[in-house]
């Protein structure tokens, strides 16, 4: 909640104070690439690629890949430690896997997606059933106090509803 508060206008905490600047370590990443997106009260980190999606009241972390048609609300997407090249993505998909990032047509709200997660196309991660606690490490999912957590390096198959 506190981290997402940084994206509000005005933020609860200000990083952009000339009298007391806060610096981050250099990552030498390209700027975020945002194409045809609706972004409101969000922070999009370096190296991200978002296409034709909606992001509201969210933090999108380093190197995150968000596919077309996605809706992300009240969420924290931690990002990835690495990029997959087009060739690597093609190999992963040809082998029946899922590329790192969030696939096309996904809806994610009230969730935390940890590093290097692979979320397939057309997934719904909203906890519509209102489950308060769940521990399903085999499938890469926890729910804590009603908030869905997709675990680090988890793979969520196409069409999954959580």
């Amino acid at each position: 909640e506190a981290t997402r508060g940084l994206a509000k206008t005005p933020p609860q905490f200000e990083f952009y104070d000339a009298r007391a600047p806060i610096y981050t370590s250099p990552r030498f990443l390209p700027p975020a690439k945002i194409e045809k997106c609706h972004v409101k009260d969000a922070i999009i980190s370096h190296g991200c690629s978002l296409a034709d999606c909606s992001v509201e009241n969210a933090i999108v972390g380093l190197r995150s890949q968000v596919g077309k048609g996605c809706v992300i609300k009240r969420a924290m997407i931690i990002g990835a430690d690495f990029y997959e090249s087009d060739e690597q993505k093609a190999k992963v998909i040809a082998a029946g896997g899922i590329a790192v990032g969030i696939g096309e047509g996904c809806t994610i709200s009230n969730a935390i997606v940890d590093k290097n997660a692979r979320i397939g196309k057309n997934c719904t991660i909203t906890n519509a059933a209102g489950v308060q606690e769940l521990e399903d490490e085999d499938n890469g999912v926890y729910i804590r106090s009603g908030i869905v957590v997709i675990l680090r390096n988890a793979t969520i198959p196409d069409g999954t509803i959580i």
Side-chain angles (χ1 to χ4, degrees):
E1 189 66 33
T3 303
R4 287 189 299 116
L6 294 172
K8 292 183 179 178
T9 304
Q12 295 170 342
F13 181 82
E14 184 62 63
F15 280 111
Y16 306 103
D17 184 345
R19 294 169 292 146
I22 295 177
Y23 299 99
T24 64
S25 60
R27 299 204 195 286
F28 306 107
L29 291 170
K33 182 178 181 182
I34 303 170
E35 300 178 71
K36 300 178 186 174
C37 297
H38 166 78
V39 178
K40 180 180 177 190
D41 296 335
I43 295 174
I44 312 296
S45 297
H46 294 320
C48 293
S49 178
L50 290 77
D52 196 20
C53 63
S54 176
V55 179
E56 292 187 22
N57 197 15
I59 307 292
V60 181
L62 293 168
R63 298 182 200 89
S64 292
Q65 307 293 304
V66 179
K68 292 180 180 180
C70 289
V71 176
I72 299 173
K73 293 183 178 181
R74 296 176 309 281
M76 186 163 193
I77 313 300
I78 303 299
D81 290 322
F82 57 89
Y83 287 112
E84 287 181 326
S85 68
D86 290 340
E87 182 180 282
Q88 290 170 320
K89 288 178 189 177
K91 272 186 180 178
V92 167
I93 292 167
I98 296 168
V100 168
I102 300 170
E104 294 180 1
C106 291
T107 299
I108 299 174
S109 67
N110 300 319
I112 299 169
V113 178
D114 206 346
K115 273 189 181 178
N116 306 325
R118 299 170 183 269
I119 299 177
K121 295 178 182 178
N122 302 309
C123 293
T124 301
I125 301 172
T126 61
N127 191 14
V131 175
Q132 288 301 301
E133 302 293 326
L134 173 74
E135 194 167 313
D136 187 0
E137 193 167 347
D138 291 341
N139 290 309
V141 179
Y142 283 175
I143 298 177
R144 295 287 185 257
S145 301
I147 297 170
V148 179
V149 179
I150 304 300
L151 303 179
R152 181 179 298 228
N153 300 314
T155 298
I156 306 298
D158 293 349
T160 298
I161 298 173
I162 299 172

